[in-house]
Structure formats: C-alpha cells, structure tokens
Amino acid sequence: MKIDRRNFLTYTTAAVLGGAAGSMLTPAPWKLMDDVSIWTQNWPWTPVPEAGPVTHKQSACTLCPGGCGINVRFVGTRPVKIEGLKDHPVNKGSLCPMGLSGLQYVYGPDRVGSPLKREGKRGEGKWKKITWNEALTAVTDKLASLRKSENPQSLACITGSSRGTLPSLIGRFLTVYGSPNLLRPATVQDANEQALFLTQGKQGTLGFDIENADFILSFGSGILDGWGSPGRMFRLFGTRKSEQRIIQIEPRLSNTAAKASRWIGINPGTEGALALGLAHVIIKESLYNKNFIEKFTFGFNDWTDDAGITHTGFATLVEAYSPEKVSQITGIPKPLIESLAREFAASPRPLAINGRGQGTLPGSIDESLAMQSLNALTGNINQIGGIYIVPEQTYAKWPDLGMDATASKGMQQPRIDGAGSDQFPNTRSLLNRLPGLINSVKGDSPVQALLVVDANPMYTLPDTAATRKAFDKIPFIVSFSSYMDETAAYADYILPDHANLERYQDIPTPAGMAHQTITLATPVIEPLYDTKHTGDALIHIAKSLGGFVEEAFPWDDYETFLADTLQDHWSDLKEKGVIEISPDSKDSAVLSFNTASAKYEFCPAAATRQGSKDSNAPSAYTPAAIEGDEKRFSLLLVPYDSIRLSGEQIANSPFMTKTVEATVLKKQMTLVEINPKTAKTLALKEGSKAVLTTPKGKASVIVHLYEGIMPGLIALPRGLGHTAYSEFLAGKGTNTNDLIGSVEDPASGFDMAWGIRAQLSKA
Amino acid sequence: MKEKNDYEHSKRYGMVIDLDKCTGCGSCMIGCYTENNVPFKADETNKLDSINWIQVYKLTNGKPYPETEISYLPMPCMQCDGEGKLGHSPCVSVCPAVATDYDYSTGIVSQIYTRCFGCRYCMAACPYHARKFNWWDPVWPADMEKYLSPDVSPRMRGVVEKCSFCFHRYQLARNKAYYENRQTEELGEDEYQTACAEACPTGAITFGDLNNKSHAVYQLKNSPNAFRLLERLETNPKVYYLSSKKWVRRQGDNYLANEEPGLIKKIDKQHH
Amino acid sequence: MNETPLIPAGVKRCSKWQFSLWMGAVTAVLIWGIYAMFLIWYKGLNQTNMNDAYGFALWIWADLAVIALGGGAFFSGFLTYIIGKDDLKNIINFAVIIGFICYSSALLILAIDIGQPLRGWFIFWHANVHSMLTEVAFCLSCYFAVLTIEFIPLILENPRLAKKPFLHHLSHNMHGVMAVFAATGVFLSFFHQGSLGGVAGVLYGRPFAYREHVFIWPWTFFLFTWSAAACGPCFTILVTWMTEKITRKKLVKQEVIWLFAKISGWMIITYITAKTIDTLYWALVTAPSKGFTLMDFYSSPTYNIGLLFIEIVLCGFVPGLILITRRGRENSFFLMSAVILAVIGVSLNRWVMVLQVMAVPLFSFNDWYTYMPSWQEVATTVLPVAYGLIVISLAYRYLPVFPQEQELNPID
Ligand SMILES: Nc1nc2c(c(=O)[nH]1)N[C@H]1C(S)=C(S)[C@@H](COP(=O)(O)OP(=O)(O)OC[C@H]3O[C@@H](n4cnc5c(=O)[nH]c(N)nc54)[C@H](O)[C@@H]3O)O[C@H]1N2
Ligand code: SF4
Ligand code: SF4
Ligand code: SF4
Ligand code: SF4
Ligand code: SF4
C-alpha cells in the first residue's frame, strides 16, 4: 500500500482514535482523572494549617483602652484564635470585633518588621531597613544635639494616652531631658475629670455604675457603639435587668439608639441645654433629692462670698432654661422634656452619662458640669447606680530625678499647647491645638523633634491638612508604631514596637468603669519580627544620652521597670493577669468632698472658686461655634461612630472592614447618611454620587438615604479614609478629620466640635 | 452511611437568636471568620461575593424620623430540617454529588469542600443566601497563614462553603466524651457551643439541642416572640429568632396584606 | 487515482474561496469564545459577573434555551420513528445535527460553568439520585451519545468516506437500527427536558420557581418537555429557513415544513394552555400559600408583568394559533413570524426560570438582585453559536443533509 498524504492522515487519525478508544479500556485515564481531582483538593497554594496540641494562654487586649481579658488558643506554638476571658472583671468574656480579630494585627501586612529610615520624600513610602543600633543612635544623636543647643523643650512627644506606666516612663524621660511637651489626645474622660475636680475637688476619673443604674439617660453616648470599655458595655447590655431603662438622646438613630428603651432625637450639640432644662423642671417641681442638696452641696442657691459679692446659684441659673426655651434650642417637644425630667427624678437610681459616640471628643466643660449636676440633683454621687470617682493609679515612687540646668530651664518653658497655662489652668494636654500653634509660628517650628508613641495624629487629629502642614515644619519625626499608619508613613524614622500579644503592657481602669482595676497584658508569643518594646527603646536612648538622663533610668529594661513600678501588684498580676481594687469602703468615700466648702459644688460656684469666671454672667450652656457660613453650607455634618470601625490610632483589621455594611462603604467610597426629605430638596437619590464640601475640605461620597437621621444633617462614619496601611484599608472612603476642624472650648481649650457646616451636591 | 434516627431521640442542634439583644456589632461574624478560617479580600463591599457564614442584616420599620426603628438580624445557615420529612433540606436534596448532607444524628447540614465541584445548584436552592461560593483562591497575606486553625480546612477556589454550626467543635466534644468513656448523648450544653454564640458580646445567641429539655434553646424557641425565617416555605429552619417587635417578626416571613404573622398556622408543627 | 469528490453528488456548493471566507469569520468569533473559556478555566469563575445571589446566570439560560430549541431533534425522531410521520425524514437529518450542536454545546457550557471542572465527574461517581441535576447530567450525556450515534451514519454518507467499504457497511447497519436509538433518544429526552424543568421546579425555597408536584415531579418537569417538543421544531424550521436564505436554495419541500409547523402549532397551543393553567394555579394557590402575591414577583422595572404577557400571549397563543390554521402557516410571513415568536417564547420561558428566579428577593428587607454578564460570559455564550454555524456549514457542504435538495435544485 502506498503511503500518500491522504491515507497517511487517515491512518494516523485511525491510530489516534483507536489508541484513544483502546486506552479508555486501561486504568490510565480513570486513574488520571482521579489524580487530577485529588490534586484540586490539595492545591499547593491552598494552605494546610499545621496541627498540634491545643493550649490556652491568658492575657489582655491592648488594641483599645478597653482593657478586656483575652484567652488565646494555641495549636502547638501558633496562636490561632483570640477569645474572651470569662472571669475578667471588665469584659467577663465579651470582646469587640477588634479584639476578636487581634491576630490579624500581629500577622497582618501592616506590620513594620524592622527599624526603617526614610529614603525618599516624606510620606513617599521609600524606606531603608536599618539596624536597631543605627536607629537608636540616630534618635539619640538628634536628641543630644537639641540639648546641646539648649533647646530641649523643642522635643515633643505624642502618646495615645497618659494612662499606664509607659506614658509615665516617657513623662519621666521628657522631664529629665528638659521638655514639658508631652502631648496626647483628650477625650470626654478629660472633660469629666475636670468637671469632677471642680465639683468634688478630687483628681480621678469619672466612673459610671451602669450595672446598677435603673434609668440611664445617655446624652448621645454610644454605649453600644464603642463608648467606655466596649467589652464591658456590650456585656452589661446583654446581661442587664429587664427593668433597666436606657434613654438615648442624639440626632441619629445609632445602634445604641436602636437598642435603647427610647430614642429621642435632638438638635446636634444642644445636649447641654437639655440637661439644664431637665434640671429646671426637676428643681421647679421640687423633685430633687433634698437631703443631699441641703447637706452635701454648695452653690445650689445664690450665695455671697467673703468679699460680699453675690453669686448666682444653680437653681437660679437654670431658671433661664425653661422647657419652652429648651424645646426651641433642642427641638425636643416641651411635654417630652417635662416627662423625661420627672421620670429621671422619680427613678430610684437614675444616671446621666455623657460623651458623644465613643467619647473620643472631650466637648465643653459646661456640658460635663451640666450632666454631673443632673446626677447631683438626684444625689447619685458615689452611690450604687450612680457616678463614682475612680482614683488615679498610684505607682511606686521612683528614685528622685536629678536635673541639670538645661533640663530645668527647658522644664520652665510653657507647654506649647497652652495646657496648664492661666488660660486653661486645669487642662493637662491640648493636642488639638498643636497643629494650629505650629502653623501660626513664623519661621522655625517650636517643635524640632517629635516622638510618636501609640498614637497616629496624622489620621486622628481634626483638620488633616493643617496637621500635615504642621508636621511638614517639624524637621525630625520618629514613630514607634508597630504598624505602617499615617504618622509612621510620614516619619523620618520608624522604631517599631512589638505588637499586641508580643509585649507587656499594664492597663489601668478602663474608661467608665466604676471601680479600679489593673490588668496586665503579658506577651504570649515571641516577637515575630525585628521589633523592640518602646519602653526598652526609650530606656536605651536615655542611657545613651548619659548624665542625669541616664541616671533617671536605673532599670535594665522595661520589664524590670514595670515590675519595680507595680511592686506589690507585680507578682499578683503576673499570676492572675488582673487585680481589682475595691473602692475605699463605700460609706466613708460617700459624700466626702475636697472642695473649699467640703461639699459638692454646683456649677458655677465651683468655676467661680477657680477664679476663671464671672459668676454674674454665667454661661452654663455654651453652644460650640460650629464652623461654616450658613448660607453656603446649609447642612450640618456630624461624624458617627460604629463598633465595626475604628477611628483611633489602631485602625481596622481586614476582618473588621469585611463586616462593614454596603450602606457604609461601597468599593472605595464612603456613603453618607441623609434623611430622604433632605435628599429630596437636594435632588439626591439612594446611591447618587455626590460631593461633600465643608469649610475644611471636599470629598466624593455616595448618598445613602436613612430615615433614622434628623433632616438637615449628614452623617459620616469615623474610621475610614486611611491613606496608609495595606490595600485592606488604604484608600477606602473618607476620613472625617479631612473635613472637620477643632473648635476650642473657651473654658478648657478642649475640642468641642461635634460637627461642621457642610454642603452636599450632586457629583 | 445515613442512619435515620428516631426524630424524638436524636439530637437536633439549633440556635435561638434574641434580636432584642443583638446590637449589630458584628462580633459573631468575626468570631466565625477566625474559628473557621474564612478568607478575606481587599474589597469586601460587594456582599454578594463576600464570604460570610453568618451575615448580619439591618432591618428598618421604614417609618420617617423620628419614628424610625432598626433591628439587626444575624443569619447563619438555618440548618434546615427540610420540607416534609427530616433531611430534605432545600440544598441537600439538590446537590448532585452529595457534597452537602444532612446528618441525622445532629440535624446539621454538612458541606464537604473537597467533594463539591461548584455547580452552585445548592445556592440557587437556599432561600437564605447562606451559601457562599469561592469565586477566588483564598489568599492570606503577610504571615497570616500562620494563624489558621487546623480544625477547619481552608477551602479552594470553585467550591461552596457555609456555616457548619462549627461541626468540628461537636467532633472534638464527641471525641473528648468518648475518651472519657461517656456517651455522646451525654454531651453537656456547654461542651459544644458555636464560635458565634461564644463571640457574641451580649449573649444574643443561644445554642443547644432543640430536642433536649434541659437546654436553654428548648424553652426559648417556644416563646411567643419566637419566629423562624421564611417559615412558610416549609424549610423548617433550626435557627429561631426572638423579637419583641411585631414589625421585625413580620419581616421574618412574607405575608399577604390581610394576614397576621401570629395567626398563620405553621404548616409543620411537628418540629416543636 | 481519480479523487472521489468531498461534496455529495448532484448538489452544488459555493466556491472554496467563499466558503473559506465565511469559515474564517465564524472561526474568529469561535476563537474569541475559546479564549474566554480558557480564561475562565484558568482564572476561575471570578471572570464572570455571577455572584452568590446569581449563582446561575446567562450561560445557564443559554444552556436551557439551547436544549429546548434542540428539542426539534427528539421530537422529529419521535414523530418519524414512533408515530410514523415519514415525511419528516426529509428534515430529520438537519434536526439531528441541530440537536447534536445544541447538546454538545450544553455539555461544554456545563463544563465551563462548574467551579471545579476537574471534579465534574463527581456528578456521576458520587451521584445523588434525588437531585434533578444528577438526572440532567445522566440523561444529557446519554442523549448526547445517542445523538452522536444518530449523527455518525450521516457523516459516513460523505461520498469519500462512503467509498470505504467498512464505513459504508457501518453506516448502512447503523441506519438499520436507528429507530431503536431514536426511540431511546426520545425516552431520554423526555426525561432530561423534564429534569431541566425540574431543576427550577423543585426549589421549594424559591416560590417563584417552585411548582406543585405530580408524583415526584413538579409541574415544570412536564411543561419543559412539552415546550421543547412544541418549540424545538420551530427552531428547526427557522434554521432550515435561514440556511435556505443563505444558500439561496430550497432545501426542504414546503409541505414538509407545513406538516412540521402544524404539529408544532398544536403542541404550542396545548402547551400554552397547560402553562396558563399552571400559572393560574401558581398565582392563585401556590404563591399566596407562601405569602406572595403574583405582583410581588413582577415588581421590578426589568421583571414586570409584561414579561408574562409576552411569554404566554404574544409568544404562546399567537404563534400557536397561526400555526394551527392553514392560512396562517401557509403564508410565509405569518409562518416565519410565528416560528420566531415561538422560539422567543421558549427562550424567554427559560430566561425567566433561570434569571428571574435568582432576581426575586425572598425577604421583604432585600431588594431585587441584579446582574450584568461580563464579556467573558457573553463570549462563552456566543461560542456555541459560532461552533454551531461551523458544524452546520461543514455538514451542509459535505454531507447529504437534505434528501430533497437534489430534487428541488436540479443541476443542469
Ligand atoms: N485515634 C485515632 N485517630 C486516627 C487514627 C487512628 O487509628 N486512631 N487513624 C488516622 C488515619 S490512618 C486516618 S486515614 C484518619 C481518618 O480520619 P478522617 O479522614 O476524618 O476519616 P473519616 O471520618 O472516615 O472521613 C471524613 C469525612 O469525609 C467525608 N467524605 C466522604 N467523601 C468525601 C470526599 O470525596 N471528599 C472529602 N473531602 N470528604 C469526603 C465523610 O463524610 C467523612 O465525614 O484518622 C486518623 N486518626
Ligand atoms: S474593647 Fe478594646 S480591649 Fe476590649 S476587645 Fe475590643 S479592642 Fe480589645
Ligand atoms: S439555610 Fe440554606 S444552606 Fe442552610 S440548610 Fe437551609 S437551605 Fe441549606
Ligand atoms: S455547588 Fe457543590 S455543594 Fe452545591 S450543589 Fe454543587 S456540588 Fe453540591
Ligand atoms: S455556628 Fe459556627 S460556622 Fe455557623 S456561623 Fe456560627 S461560628 Fe460560623
Ligand atoms: S455578635 Fe451578637 S450582638 Fe453582635 S451582631 Fe452578632 S448576634 Fe448581634
């Protein structure tokens, strides 16, 4: 047979077909099919987690100041899950979404794995890995040179909080170095502390015995949106007695409002007026606790001082806040104000609480005083179900500081932020004023070097543009952040701290707790990367600076320092993880006040005694001077808090962002909430793209119609709009701080801006 | 092999979620992610390609300010007992490859990722959108693979996954009982709890054996405020909800204009 | 050696050049589709715009539609071999080819659609006999095998292949037993067309799709078979007509077409009557028992009540009535209008039973689900069309598809 092209093809085809058919009769294809499917079940790029013995280690969550006890589940040496610690006095097993996703912070892509030195322009993201030695030397050299030029006060340090031993260590460092400029953000705790000091003459934080209160009047406090210690608050809500009533007063139907027994809408920023209006009704109808008012308070009625000047008492003061007038201010119907006052006063254990949303903004002192006055009217001071004063943690005495002339001179300089000055005598820190002050200085910045510890001011400070401008003027910025946050990304050096679970940290009484606790976060894993505890880094720098600075730090490392500081408590804490300090036997604590009158002093008596106010022109309700021209900006922008978002220095984990609803974030854009009625007047529909403009800036947003918000308002979630971090957070939505500035409380300097005027127009 | 246990005597694990206590915090979702190695991606805002074994929905009464009310509603897999006979769950009955199955000893609807070939018929069948498809290969960036739990195998692209009532926890509890020479029938209520129930900071989720009189869920499910989602479809969910709000209970199912939720008699009362 | 021509004797075909140009164009579309198909296999179903609510989408509709339209094959087989309508032998070859294309496409689409194509065989190996999809997979593959067997003898009739004695005898013997296969095919078809209807009808969690049962089958089971039998022939007629227009030749005698159209017309009328009864029962009894009104299902701008009118009246009763009346079907304009309406009708029915099922929200707090296919989905859906055109073109060119072609187009 001749093999030509055609029959070659024919036979080849036949052979192939025959072969194929034949091979189907062999096991090969069937085996292959099986193997292939088994391969799909074991794709090498799908991880197979390693198994091992299961153990648990207890520690505490340090991702927010909540201070929750955690139980970390290990498989072999790997932590695989964080769960709540059932017998921890703060959270009793409850955790918030952030704490639950704690492992994502440790292992996630946002970690800074080694000390870094900036290579490109600030914020450009070009870094050079350096050794710890190089990093510490660079910082030491800079700090030494500032002292050498007799300019130690130009070193400033921003910390996330002043509570706990690390801020104390930093404070000690700055003092012996010669700078008074330890700054930190203020929260409603600070405002409440000041009000507490004015009325009771004691230093301490305000605790709320929410567990035992039966009528909670919340002036916009997001008790289920992250206020206080979220772990505690959620647990309390879940286990509360059915007779406990929660009245939530705020202009937006928040999650707290939704869960409250009753939600009352109020014009934003007028909570203080409402408190005084309630006091008006309570006093007018004689519903207050007469025994307490007569025996234990001062300044309820008009009074005359030693110089013979007559001062307005609280009762007279609130006369001006009739239900009619308050109704006008707050937008709450008059009968409702009256019935609310009566209900509050009639409850056996009523409790007024304050701090809008998560309480991250302090608000005015007037406001804090007004809320405390309500509690005083019912006599619920240091009483079960009332407010308590929680004393500051007292630490062991450290060896005395020796200070050289440079340090003494530096320490005599006024603080840059004006805190503690004649203008704001009771205020400890005013970080909100820092950018403005730096920017207003012509020539060199008063801050020549900035250390940032556990803080992310480039994101959390109001008016991001101003903050950036101020930071541009600071020649030397060091971040000690564990994560590549906005401030770290803008720093010159990053000296990364260990992450949560990797480091020691003591946690004093969390915000809002009515009694004192100390919790110790113990490291449960070895540090993953080339990081260093900031305490150790600072001790190292102090030692390298020599002289008195070195002498002030006789400790080898932070752990020794911590043990030495906590002394008696240290071994207890190491063993139990938490200790509870029961209040001085309640009876003796009750009703002892350290004021001049040895009584609870009503506003404005207290304020008058402090010499900062003219009591004949009392202004018990100071509306914040909200920025913006009413004509150009017909709407009000109010930021809101959500427990699924973090607006604080530690940002969202990927899991938290994953839970964010599609009505809050869509792709890379934030949705703003607006009442359908208002939207209609603006010709905006659900899902419309719009431009949100305020006197501070502009943002592209999507419109979400929400019946649960007062007409005329726009609500914007806090916690989005990050520019740093990884793709799991960066570039998603709008940072409220880009659009909002700070408004100073004339009495305290605290930021009292609950919002800003704004306009929303179709994009 | 399936064993068709006597309905009365087998376990029927179920949940009662108290919506009055649910604050919409989302902890249950995160508790579930971390327990079950649920993956995540950079953009999770399209909830229709976002893997959540429990999804918290936000309901509103639709009234204008200030009469507006909202309620959150967490929705895991309902572990449907199914229409008519036990085990005829909407999804189980349609899966062509038995990659999802009804376990007669617990009432739990399983999902075997390595058996599933991704036809998604079960997703079409499930009225609760409880089933999620792996549209992408899961990726754990940086060192995140290190925190994965070995109790639940990570899934591969192209398969369906869903809430398992943390079945691995049942297995662990069962094994423990076995080693301690106890019968699985004797498993205590707290020996087997789901991760979401544990994670819920307000204790809104109660989990247990609906057939066991000593378990909390047994009583809770009989509350006058109790309802199940889309009960009228006869899916027989084992997840119950409690709400003191009538409008919430009404949104749990579909009703004609003239119908009242409480008055529509459940067609299948046998499961009580 | 004198080459046996590839083209069957006694018929005229276009030039090689023209043919190549046409094939080139269609192949380009095919390659686009194949590219999309490989993208989907390689990167996964994230290449589509399907999502967890829209787990079934465009190509599953195409799959169902194509199977319904391919129904001309089994139904003509049924009429020819079982009822004995011999006239239809003149169109059955073409019906078989269209069926073959439809079913092979359907299988290919299924292989693209599943998330784990390499495990696709689990549907057979780990079969769940209670699943409609299992039934579909088995029947579909078996029927595809039958169609292949029905197609082979026709292929073997290619003059050059027929010259080989072995192939010639094979072809001859296969013809002999074809009635058996046709009968098997008909049986299988009744089932899988039904199972496809069952796929949606058993979804008792989806009140829009769910239908009451007769024995173990939901109503849709029967309606799907019925509608495929009714409208499949219309598609065969339509494709024949298009082939005739393109080739500018009469290929099948008009009497044959009329006969096929008449039978189809009566099937449509009976089908649509049954469908109307089904719809009424569903709207008045089934849906309300689950808390839905009919209008709840048609409250979106896309899915409005107009669809139901189009499906039942415009694309149901209208073509049915045209085809059962002599004057209607013998007027070529009416005939083709009816045929096209019927094809649209059955395709719309499949669309509704796939896409609308997914779109209807089940909770009052959910909105309608929406979906827009990605280009990859469109390309993979177009792929079978290009493939079909290629197979039809090759078959028409090289095989004696139309027994009446010679007679109708004598070559001088
Ligand atoms: N104490 C103790 N422990 C042991 C052993 C021992 O001797 N003592 N033996 C060890 C050994 S050798 C083995 S092999 C293991 C066996 O342990 P496992 O692998 O857990 O074995 P099974 O429980 O048989 O199967 C697991 C599940 O797979 C499901 N399944 C069925 N078909 C498929 C499929 O196609 N794909 C997938 N993914 N799942 C499917 C079944 O429904 C079953 O529930 O146990 C190990 N563990
Ligand atoms: S509330 Fe704060 S401390 Fe508690 S778990 Fe959440 S982040 Fe951690
Ligand atoms: S909820 Fe859905 S997935 Fe779960 S058992 Fe029911 S039908 Fe199946
Ligand atoms: S997607 Fe998987 S589990 Fe679902 S029906 Fe298909 S094979 Fe079964
Ligand atoms: S029961 Fe388990 S698997 Fe299901 S949602 Fe809860 S945590 Fe997730
Ligand atoms: S964790 Fe509890 S309170 Fe939070 S959303 Fe889930 S069920 Fe609701």
Side-chain angles (χ1 to χ4, degrees), chain A residues 122 142 146 149-158 181 183 416-417 433-451 466-477 492:
Chain A
R122 273 221 178 128
K142 178 70 188 182
L146 287 182
S149 60
E150 294 294 321
N151 208 10
Q153 72 281 1
S154 71
L155 168 68
C157 180
I158 298 177
N181 293 313
L183 299 116
I416 332 179
D417 60 359
R433 303 182 83 226
L434 183 73
L437 291 169
I438 294 180
N439 290 334
S440 66
V441 172
K442 298 235 157 52
D444 280 353
S445 156
V447 178
Q448 285 296 306
L450 176 68
L451 310 182
T467 309
R468 179 179 303 257
K469 208 172 134 206
F471 275 51
D472 279 337
K473 290 180 75 177
I474 303 173
F476 189 78
I477 302 175
D492 303 299

Side-chain angles (χ1 to χ4, degrees), chain B residues 91 94-100 110-113 115-123 131 133 158-160, chain C residues 131 133:
Chain B
C91 53
V94 300
C95 175
V98 208
T100 182
S110 66
Q111 179 70 19
I112 304 167
Y113 322 116
R115 171 72 71 81
C116 171
F117 66 92
C119 69
R120 308 182 303 289
Y121 191 14
C122 53
M123 298 174 69
R131 299 183 153 268
F133 188 69
V159 303
V160 164
Chain C
S131 172
L133 210 55

Side-chain angles (χ1 to χ4, degrees), chain B residues 48 88 94 120-121 124 157, chain C residues 52 113 116 131 199 204 206:
Chain B
L48 295 178
H88 185 64
V94 300
R120 308 182 303 289
Y121 191 14
R157 176 233 281 176
Chain C
D52 291 340
D113 174 67
Q116 285 281 350
S131 172
V199 164
Y204 68 91
R206 298 274 191 173

Side-chain angles (χ1 to χ4, degrees), chain B residues 4-270:
Chain B
K4 307 214 175 185
N5 283 21
D6 173 5
Y7 179 82
E8 296 299 321
H9 299 104
S10 66
K11 291 176 189 303
R12 269 177 67 251
Y13 282 104
M15 239 176 220
V16 181
I17 306 181
D18 186 345
L19 302 185
D20 291 339
K21 278 191 182 177
C22 173
T23 63
C25 70
S27 292
C28 47
M29 294 195 252
I30 298 196
C32 180
Y33 301 155
T34 53
E35 178 75 21
N36 293 299
N37 296 334
V38 173
F40 57 93
K41 16 183 222 348
D43 181 12
E44 293 275 10
T45 63
N46 178 1
K47 298 303 171 191
L48 295 178
D49 67 21
S50 170
I51 298 179
N52 286 283
W53 292 10
I54 181 168
Q55 176 85 50
V56 181
Y57 289 83
K58 189 177 184 173
L59 276 50
T60 145
N61 67 350
K63 292 201 180 156
Y65 179 93
E67 264 107 60
T68 325
E69 289 179 23
I70 51 173
S71 178
Y72 286 95
L73 189 144
M75 225 192 275
C77 166
M78 301 285 122
Q79 311 291 347
C80 307
D81 280 344
E83 187 186 35
K85 63 182 196 292
L86 213 54
H88 185 64
S89 325
C91 53
V92 168
S93 52
V94 300
C95 175
V98 208
T100 182
D101 208 353
Y102 184 89
D103 176 32
Y104 285 88
S105 64
T106 56
I108 294 175
V109 175
S110 66
Q111 179 70 19
I112 304 167
Y113 322 116
T114 46
R115 171 72 71 81
C116 171
F117 66 92
C119 69
R120 308 182 303 289
Y121 191 14
C122 53
M123 298 174 69
C126 170
Y128 304 99
H129 294 291
R131 299 183 153 268
K132 307 288 165 177
F133 188 69
N134 282 272
W135 300 98
W136 286 269
D137 276 306
V139 178
W140 284 271
D143 279 318
M144 281 169 155
E145 278 186 15
K146 288 189 184 152
Y147 72 55
L148 294 178
S149 158
D151 293 337
V152 182
S153 49
R155 284 70 66 184
M156 60 292 290
R157 176 233 281 176
V159 303
V160 164
E161 60 183 82
K162 68 156 193 83
C163 155
S164 64
F165 265 6
C166 295
F167 192 70
H168 60 284
R169 288 185 168 213
Y170 174 72
Q171 289 175 313
L172 292 171
R174 198 183 51 184
N175 288 355
K176 186 163 171 284
Y178 181 77
Y179 286 126
E180 291 166 1
N181 278 317
R182 288 185 290 138
Q183 299 296 307
T184 45
E185 284 70 38
E186 296 162 16
L187 273 187
E189 192 176 7
D190 53 357
E191 282 189 88
Y192 168 35
Q193 279 298 320
T194 65
C196 52
E198 274 185 5
C200 176
T202 62
I205 306 178
T206 313
F207 180 81
D209 179 0
L210 297 168
N211 280 353
N212 189 328
K213 291 195 174 68
S214 70
H215 285 201
V217 288
Y218 185 89
Q219 288 306 329
L220 287 173
K221 73 173 194 298
N222 295 328
S223 149
N225 285 345
F227 64 101
R228 297 184 290 172
L229 297 178
L230 303 178
E231 222 175 351
R232 304 182 76 183
L233 299 182
E234 296 176 58
T235 48
N236 273 313
K238 281 197 291 293
V239 176
Y240 290 75
Y241 293 88
L242 301 176
S243 176
S244 56
K245 294 180 172 169
K246 200 171 147 192
W247 68 264
V248 174
R249 298 199 295 270
R250 189 172 176 102
Q251 289 192 18
D253 210 332
N254 293 287
Y255 298 98
L256 303 178
N258 60 346
E259 291 174 341
E260 279 298 321
L263 299 177
I264 299 292
K265 274 296 142 236
K266 283 134 204 172
I267 303 139
D268 200 329
K269 267 281 177 187
Q270 62 170 43

Side-chain angles (χ1 to χ4, degrees), chain C residues 99-150:
Chain C
F100 176 86
I101 293 165
C102 290
Y103 281 81
S104 51
S105 304
L107 286 171
L108 178 71
I109 290 179
L110 287 179
I112 301 169
D113 174 67
I114 54 180
Q116 285 281 350
L118 298 174
R119 297 182 203 163
W121 53 279
F122 284 14
I123 202 169
F124 304 111
W125 195 252
H126 300 290
N128 170 15
V129 293
H130 302 293
S131 172
M132 279 295 159
L133 210 55
T134 307
E135 205 171 301
V136 168
F138 273 93
C139 293
L140 212 62
S141 345
C142 292
Y143 184 52
F144 174 64
V146 168
L147 278 171
T148 312
I149 292 169
E150 290 188 60

Side-chain angles (χ1 to χ4, degrees), chain A residues 136-425:
Chain A
L136 291 167
T137 308
V139 177
T140 310
D141 288 352
K142 178 70 188 182
L143 299 197
S145 79
L146 287 182
R147 269 175 67 81
K148 209 165 172 194
S149 60
E150 294 294 321
N151 208 10
Q153 72 281 1
S154 71
L155 168 68
C157 180
I158 298 177
T159 60
S161 130
S162 62
R163 297 152 59 70
T165 56
L166 184 64
S168 324
L169 182 145
I170 298 170
R172 183 175 174 85
F173 175 84
L174 284 185
T175 305
V176 69
Y177 176 87
S179 171
N181 293 313
L182 177 57
L183 299 116
R184 63 172 174 84
T187 69
V188 72
Q189 260 191 296
D190 293 86
N192 282 344
E193 257 174 55
Q194 238 183 80
L196 200 83
F197 178 70
L198 291 173
T199 55
Q200 302 196 34
K202 291 180 186 170
Q203 280 298 348
T205 58
L206 190 56
F208 298 95
D209 189 11
I210 292 166
E211 287 84 340
N212 296 305
D214 60 2
F215 187 92
I216 296 169
L217 188 58
S218 153
F219 288 89
S221 300
I223 54 180
L224 296 173
D225 294 284
W227 180 94
S229 167
R232 168 189 181 231
M233 296 312 300
F234 280 92
R235 171 62 34 180
L236 289 187
F237 178 77
T239 54
R240 76 197 222 274
K241 297 183 196 81
S242 58
E243 60 272 18
Q244 185 183 66
R245 307 232 315 133
I246 301 173
I247 312 296
Q248 182 70 4
I249 300 163
E250 58 177 317
R252 174 182 172 269
L253 179 62
S254 65
N255 284 1
T256 306
K259 300 293 8 148
S261 325
R262 171 144 205 201
W263 164 49
I264 300 174
I266 185 171
N267 291 334
T270 64
E271 293 85 347
L274 176 64
L276 296 174
L278 296 176
H280 175 105
V281 177
I282 292 171
I283 294 171
K284 197 162 167 208
E285 299 187 4
S286 249
L287 304 171
Y288 54 89
N289 182 332
K290 281 156 208 106
N291 180 49
F292 180 80
I293 297 294
E294 276 162 30
K295 290 195 187 141
F296 300 103
T297 68
F298 178 81
F300 181 74
N301 295 309
D302 296 352
W303 54 286
T304 312
D305 65 17
D306 298 345
I309 304 170
T310 308
H311 297 271
T312 313
F314 185 67
T316 314
L317 173 85
V318 298
E319 270 173 23
Y321 294 89
S322 65
E324 291 80 10
K325 188 181 162 198
V326 170
S327 173
Q328 262 175 20
I329 302 174
T330 59
I332 300 173
K334 178 178 166 250
L336 186 49
I337 297 173
E338 288 165 344
S339 63
L340 196 59
R342 287 173 201 141
E343 261 189 278
F344 183 80
S347 298
R349 290 186 305 278
L351 178 63
I353 66 174
N354 65 320
R356 291 184 189 86
Q358 298 185 343
T360 40
L361 279 182
S364 71
I365 294 298
D366 281 347
E367 232 169 49
S368 284
L369 282 170
M371 313 297 165
Q372 290 191 31
S373 302
L374 269 184
N375 287 318
L377 282 179
T378 54
N380 260 347
I381 310 276
N382 294 341
Q383 297 283 342
I384 289 177
I387 56 173
Y388 277 93
I389 181 158
V390 182
E392 283 188 341
Q393 177 59 42
T394 44
Y395 295 112
K397 280 264 166 278
W398 296 315
D400 282 340
L401 289 176
M403 272 161 85
D404 59 18
T406 311
S408 303
K409 217 176 103 216
M411 279 305 286
Q412 278 158 28
Q413 303 296 313
R415 284 175 62 96
I416 332 179
D417 60 359
S421 67
D422 290 349
Q423 197 185 356
F424 310 119

